[in-house]
Amino acid sequence: MTPIRAALLLVALLSAAGAWLVSERELVFEPDVITTWRAEHVDDRPLTAAQESEFRAIRGATRRQDLLLLLAALAVGALAVAVWPAAARTAGGTVPAVLALGAVVLLGWSLSMSVNNQIHRAVAGEWTLSDDAFESFTGPLASLLADYRERIPEDEAVILVGVDPFALNVASWALYPRPMYMLVRPIPQTYTLFQVRDEIAGTALAADHPGRWVVHVTVMAQGGAERTGRADLLKVDE
Amino acid sequence: MSAAVGVGLVALQILAGLFLARRLGRAGEPWWARASLAFALGGAVIGLAQVALSALGFAAGLGVPVGIAVVSVLAARLPRQPASTPASTAASTAAASTPLPATDGLDRHARRVLLGLTLVVGLVGASASAGLPFRSDGSKFWAPRARELATAGALEVPALVDEYRVAFHRTYPLLVPTLLAPAFAHSSPDAMVGAKVVLAAYHLALLGLVAAALLRCGPRGGWVLLAFLGSPLLMRTEIRESVVAGGFVDEVVAVYLLLLVMTVERLRGAVARDGGTGAVLLAVLVGAALVATKLEGALALACVLVAVLLAGPRGRGKMLVVCGGVLLLSVPTLWIRGGVIPDEPIVSWAGLVDPASLGARFVPVLYEVFATLLDASALGLLPLLVVVVLTGLPGRGRAYPRLLLLGLLGFLVLVYLGTTMDVARHVHTSAHRLLFQWMPALALLAARALQRAREDDVAASPEAAGG
């Protein structure tokens, strides 16, 4: 056995062992040295504690998947080149051959994930080539937004308040061509939509339209008035 | 109906680029590579014209693509002058010096397998791109902007000039939204598929251009192509904001950056006749399209310019001419940018000169940027391959690609040092996309480096030395 082949087998073995160890963990966090550095050098643009906690979990899961795929691909790539040394000659070196053959694993994995996901979403009505993408785009908010469309005339303005990125995006898309406004000023969480409406009524915001409506996207995202008991849509000037 | 509109727009875009692709592209390319180039160049010409007209107050409609397609088809029917052929017939710049042995070509079966895999990746990705709804930035502002630009010029769209309207990133360039505007104008209000078909075509064009470019580099290019196809971002539907996952412009940036780097290779090329006026025009066109597609397009162009200037005398003068041309074609984009409500800055330049902020961020930023190179879930093993090949292999002509790689990493570090967001969060949402924009171009440079290393080996072999 040549030294290179022995080294490749060792790399394959270590990578496979590493992949197995990573697969046993739910989350993989950044190295301690980075965590310590962050704690000792406080950034002036930090996340809130709640955001930090949520984001830490997301990052941990992403890092776990990255490492798992990386090590699995390296294990397969190194093993393949150990078995088929001619690959290294045509690829221009052992490392390029290992990485290219390892990528085949990722190709197969991505292919199966994508096809599987597309089939599932097609069955659920989310994948569509039809002219009506309203339901696939708005998802769980479809019935609420369809109701808003019926109630709000197309020439009247809609003022969106609250925080929910998905609900904000789909509401502003689905309610087009109604003029869409956003309340730039932050609203205290204790405010009801009635209080917000009363404040808006005294301002010139969107006042040049025949009518004004206010939508609380946070309440909308939680299922609307029926589910939360809180107002989600009000006419401003009644 | 909307799908048919999308297919029609794709056809118009190909026809609009037909003339330029014939005059400026390489002869002897397979039909799919020519179609990919024609589509990309057609998009550049139509998009730049639409942006210019939008700046003048015109809505982005079907007139421009139809008009340019007609002119392009008529021009393509004109007989070619013998003097205009050299640019297209020139060989790869890298193949200029030492001819490789006849056995060094890519095996026919291997070529077929690679093309088959490329087709599978293309179709699965295009299916996801066309069939799934817009998400993230695609739904947040790109698609709404395309729909609004179908009704009015950029400086008359309320969302861009009224600060109280729902709008995000108003200063982002408008090439892609204006390309997609006709799809919204001629579809029912709830249809997205027309616009998504055009984006899916960009996905296919990217793969077509990459496959053609890498397969020209012989067997070693084939191996790099295999690594490229293993990038999950090309197919996976869960990755944040890729075209395939309902996002928008990153693959379009990748297309024009790849074409720019390919053309700059010609400008710097050893084959003098390959770097003539045609190559300069091509570089101006794709450079301007890059700047008009996304903010970082201008920074990518700057990285290429600096790398060319520092790498040696080859192509310096031509590159300066190219940048002048790009600046001229970018006037409408800059005009619109100056006329819309400014965005909150994503990068704070003040943060870049504040020692306390820099000190706190430097180590985490370096860690995050280099960890992105190992982001196998999105980019596969390609970043590792590119870094290993471009930094590890000795040989000629390595300064320019190394400078480009260094420029990219420097750009990422600077952006995240100056970000107004939390570093880890900003990296998480954007670094994989920024890096992906560069991957096709860097993969090509890696394949060329491997091919050159092979040529050097052949030249240094006893048989070659013996004559």
Side-chain angles (χ1 to χ4, degrees):
Chain A
M1 183 181 288
T2 64
I4 287 184
R5 187 174 278 192
L8 283 168
L9 287 173
L10 185 64
V11 168
L13 195 67
L14 291 175
S15 299
W20 179 77
L21 282 175
V22 171
S23 73
E24 292 291 298
R25 301 172 66 165
E26 277 188 24
L27 303 171
V28 175
F29 295 112
E30 63 192 11
D32 286 344
V33 61
I34 301 295
T35 311
T36 310
W37 180 278
R38 284 190 211 276
E40 289 173 358
H41 302 79
V42 178
D43 196 335
D44 52 352
R45 287 151 274 191
L47 299 172
T48 63
Q51 286 174 328
E52 179 72 46
S53 165
E54 182 192 0
F55 186 55
R56 190 173 151 82
I58 294 172
R59 288 276 287 167
T62 309
R63 203 176 284 111
R64 175 188 179 274
Q65 189 179 55
D66 285 347
L67 260 181
L68 189 58
L69 289 172
L70 182 73
L71 291 167
L74 282 178
V76 172
L79 188 65
V81 179
V83 172
W84 181 35
R89 279 195 296 279
T90 54
T94 303
V95 177
V98 167
L99 296 174
L101 286 172
V104 176
V105 175
L106 300 177
L107 200 163
W109 176 76
S110 318
L111 186 65
S112 64
M113 293 280 286
S114 182
V115 170
N116 191 32
N117 185 279
Q118 287 186 58
I119 290 172
H120 275 88
R121 291 173 78 171
V123 171
E126 267 189 61
W127 186 102
T128 177
L129 296 180
S130 81
D131 276 5
D132 187 359
F134 179 72
E135 286 199 10
S136 79
F137 180 62
T138 52
L141 304 178
S143 60
L144 266 182
L145 286 166
D147 176 48
Y148 293 0
R149 276 180 167 190
E150 282 193 6
R151 292 167 61 187
I152 307 173
E154 287 197 355
D155 58 344
E156 297 196 358
V158 179
I159 302 162
L160 302 174
V161 301
V163 182
D164 187 284
F166 175 73
L168 185 69
N169 292 349
V170 295
S172 61
W173 177 271
L175 297 178
Y176 183 86
R178 295 157 189 83
M180 307 291 296
Y181 289 81
M182 208 162 59
L183 206 55
V184 181
R185 188 173 62 78
I187 308 270
Q189 287 199 340
T190 50
Y191 264 40
T192 65
L193 193 60
F194 292 97
Q195 288 170 297
V196 177
R197 181 194 62 180
D198 293 344
E199 276 205 13
I200 289 173
T203 70
L205 179 66
D208 52 342
H209 299 284
R212 295 185 289 177
W213 297 74
V214 59
V215 173
H216 201 309
V217 293
T218 316
V219 177
M220 190 179 92
Q222 290 163 357
E226 264 186 36
R227 198 168 292 174
T228 61
R230 296 163 63 197
D232 57 344
L233 172 71
L234 291 174
K235 182 136 203 235
V236 176
D237 313 295
E238 296 209 84
Chain B
M1 176 60 191
S2 182
V5 171
V7 172
L9 283 173
V10 171
L12 282 175
Q13 210 167 304
I14 292 173
L15 292 176
L18 197 64
F19 171 70
L20 289 174
R22 278 196 183 171
R23 287 297 166 104
L24 306 178
R26 295 168 188 277
E29 291 279 31
W31 67 267
W32 46 267
R34 277 183 281 135
S36 301
L37 181 63
F39 176 79
L41 296 183
V45 176
I46 294 172
L48 290 171
Q50 294 273 41
V51 170
L53 288 172
S54 190
L56 293 173
F58 293 94
L62 262 182
V64 171
V66 169
I68 293 176
V70 169
V71 171
S72 168
V73 169
L74 291 176
R77 289 171 64 91
L78 295 174
R80 292 180 72 157
Q81 309 231 340
S84 65
T85 52
S88 50
T89 53
S92 148
T93 53
S97 50
T98 310
L100 293 172
T103 52
D104 238 35
L106 191 63
D107 174 60
R108 199 177 51 169
H109 298 298
R111 187 182 169 86
R112 280 188 184 161
V113 168
L114 284 169
L115 288 178
L117 285 175
T118 306
L119 185 64
V120 169
V121 172
L123 291 179
V124 171
S127 157
S129 181
L132 294 174
F134 287 116
R135 284 289 176 254
S136 303
D137 284 359
S139 62
K140 190 174 171 184
F141 63 91
W142 287 115
R145 193 142 307 154
R147 191 168 57 177
E148 288 156 352
L149 288 169
T151 64
L155 298 177
E156 286 150 21
V157 167
L160 292 177
V161 292
D162 180 346
E163 64 178 314
Y164 298 108
R165 294 293 184 116
V166 175
F168 301 92
H169 300 309
R170 291 179 172 99
T171 56
Y172 277 21
L174 298 175
L175 185 131
V176 178
T178 55
L179 279 178
L180 303 191
F184 289 115
H186 297 278
S187 302
S188 62
D190 285 325
M192 291 182 173
V193 64
K196 301 227 73 193
V197 164
V198 180
L199 290 176
Y202 262 107
H203 178 73
L204 290 171
L206 175 66
L207 284 163
L209 290 168
V210 169
L214 293 181
L215 291 177
R216 273 201 300 271
C217 298
R220 296 181 177 191
W223 284 91
V224 178
L225 177 59
L226 190 60
F228 181 79
L229 295 175
S231 308
L233 204 129
L234 294 171
M235 281 187 288
R236 275 192 63 212
T237 53
E238 305 88 349
I239 295 175
R240 306 165 299 278
E241 295 182 37
S242 69
V243 166
V244 166
F248 226 78
V249 297
D250 294 300
E251 274 192 309
V252 184
V253 173
V255 165
Y256 292 121
L257 185 52
L258 170 67
L259 286 173
L260 179 69
V261 168
M262 284 167 73
T263 315
V264 168
E265 284 269 285
R266 278 164 67 171
L267 294 177
R268 302 182 68 250
V271 185
R273 60 181 180 169
D274 201 24
T277 314
V280 171
L281 287 176
L282 186 56
V284 169
L285 181 62
V286 296
L290 186 61
V291 172
T293 301
K294 218 173 171 201
L295 292 178
E296 55 262 34
L299 294 169
L301 178 69
C303 279
V304 174
L305 171 68
V306 170
V308 170
L309 294 181
L310 293 179
R314 280 197 295 151
R316 268 183 189 164
K318 287 174 185 169
M319 196 59 207
L320 289 172
V321 173
V322 167
C323 285
V326 170
L327 194 62
L328 207 60
L329 289 184
S330 301
V331 168
T333 292
L334 297 172
W335 178 263
I336 292 171
R337 188 178 162 82
V340 299
I341 301 288
D343 295 325
E344 289 289 316
I346 301 171
V347 172
S348 150
W349 300 112
L352 286 174
V353 292
D354 172 27
S357 178
L358 283 178
R361 289 184 161 209
F362 195 66
V363 170
V365 165
L366 277 187
Y367 164 74
E368 297 287 354
V369 166
F370 284 96
T372 306
L373 295 175
L374 305 177
D375 184 353
S377 314
L379 301 166
L381 302 181
L382 189 62
L384 272 183
L385 177 68
V386 164
V387 170
V388 166
V389 169
L390 293 184
T391 60
L393 280 181
R396 64 195 158 93
R398 214 51 56 79
Y400 165 68
R402 279 179 184 163
L403 283 165
L404 215 49
L405 183 63
L406 196 66
L408 165 64
L409 295 175
F411 158 65
L412 290 176
V413 168
L414 275 181
V415 164
Y416 295 122
L417 278 177
T419 180
T420 51
M421 297 168 66
D422 173 79
V423 170
R425 193 181 183 89
H426 197 180
V427 170
H428 182 71
T429 54
S430 61
H432 60 294
R433 288 183 293 124
L434 290 176
L435 210 53
F436 178 76
Q437 293 169 6
W438 283 79
M439 278 302 124
L442 291 176
L444 173 66
L445 293 176
R448 292 259 164 92
L450 285 167
Q451 188 192 24
R452 280 191 194 121
R454 171 70 183 139
E455 287 165 8
D456 291 346
D457 287 348
V458 170
S461 67
E463 292 85 357

